[in-house]
Each structure stands twice: as C-alpha cells, then as structure tokens.
Amino acid sequence: MSEKEYDPVMHSAEHLLNGAIARLLGCGRAFSTHIEKKKSKCDFHYDRNLTPEELQLLEKSVNEQIASHVDVWDERMSVDEAASRYSLSRLPEGATEVRIVHIGEYDACPCIGAHVANTREIPSLRIVSSDWKEGVLRVRFKLNHATPHA
Ligand SMILES: [Zn+2]
C-alpha cells in the first residue's frame, strides 16, 4: 500500500467517513480502502447493507465536520500506549512509535499519510452508493468539487 500517493483531501475525507461509520455502526474502521481523487471506496466487516436513511446520516455527520472547520492534528505515542487505545492492525513491523491523526475531537486513528490541516479544505462529501456481499459492506463516495459554470 502506498499511502503517500493518496490525495490528502480525499484521504482526510476517508478518515471522517471511517469515524462516522465507526460511530453509527460500531463496526470498526475499513479493513480495505481504495482512494482515488474522483471516487473512493471503503470496505467494512458488517452483517448487512445500509439503509438510505443510514447513508444520509453518515453523509450528514461527515459534512457537519467539514462545515465546522475542524483542525486536523497529530501526536506521537509509544506502540504500547497506542495499542491500548487504537486498532494497530496496519502498523508497520518493528515500529516503536505511532502517529495518531486527530480530526478535532471527532476522529482519531493511527496513520502515516498526508492530511489537510483543517476540514475547511475538504469539499462536501457525497455517498454514491453502498452494497453488501458475504459480510463485506462497501461504501463508495465522492467529493463535491466545485464545477465551473458553463
Ligand atoms: Zn490518514
């Protein structure tokens, strides 16, 4: 996985979506993500597809954080300390220190990628669709980049 090549804006939006899903569903963060500038997807272990109301709720929750212009900040802590608070399943082998990326008080997770400094840099998020198959919930989303008027 080459997290450094992620678009920081889209990747930060992915953090927010993960935070929203973890809050709403309690299913933990995505076990697999595919980030692209135009359209991204996240896969979660879950037991069903989401209703349109739930997708709307997720979208609203993420967009509230974007509209609130929340600071993104990070801190470093020992692996032991981090392990007691966060899921470290994607930690590089041999690491002794972990970087935790926070989005305000809303979301925090270990990450080595590049992020925006404030959520005001993220355009509003739109959930395109979701589907479910064999225990995997897939959520596809886009950012509403401003399009020039014709
Ligand atoms: Zn990140």
Side-chain angles (χ1 to χ4, degrees), residues 38-136:
K38 286 201 168 151
K39 191 167 152 187
S40 298
K41 58 190 178 197
C42 291
D43 291 344
F44 301 86
H45 293 299
Y46 202 57
D47 57 4
R48 60 173 174 82
N49 200 356
L50 300 184
T51 65
E53 290 74 24
E54 284 172 321
L55 293 176
Q56 223 168 42
L57 209 64
L58 288 172
E59 197 177 273
K60 184 165 166 267
S61 186
V62 169
N63 285 329
E64 272 169 9
Q65 294 301 311
I66 292 172
S68 303
H69 297 178
V70 179
D71 278 331
V72 180
W73 53 283
D74 64 7
E75 61 177 334
R76 291 181 182 277
M77 61 177 67
S78 70
V79 168
D80 286 348
E81 194 185 349
S84 67
R85 290 198 247 164
Y86 305 101
S87 164
L88 299 181
S89 56
R90 298 164 90 188
L91 199 67
E93 223 175 299
T96 56
E97 205 184 45
V98 183
R99 177 182 179 228
I100 306 295
V101 174
H102 297 259
I103 302 188
E105 304 295 318
Y106 185 78
D107 183 53
C109 76
C111 188
I112 57 165
H115 308 86
V116 298
N118 186 287
T119 59
R120 75 162 70 88
E121 297 165 51
I122 309 173
S124 63
L125 178 139
R126 187 161 63 83
I127 292 178
V128 178
S129 64
S130 76
D131 56 50
W132 183 89
K133 198 184 169 190
E134 293 167 2
V136 175

Side-chain angles (χ1 to χ4, degrees), residues 3 6 8 11-12 14-15 29 99 101 109-115:
E3 248 170 309
Y6 285 0
H11 175 63
S12 302
E14 177 218 332
H15 273 247
R29 307 181 80 84
R99 177 182 179 228
V101 174
C109 76
C111 188
I112 57 165
H115 308 86

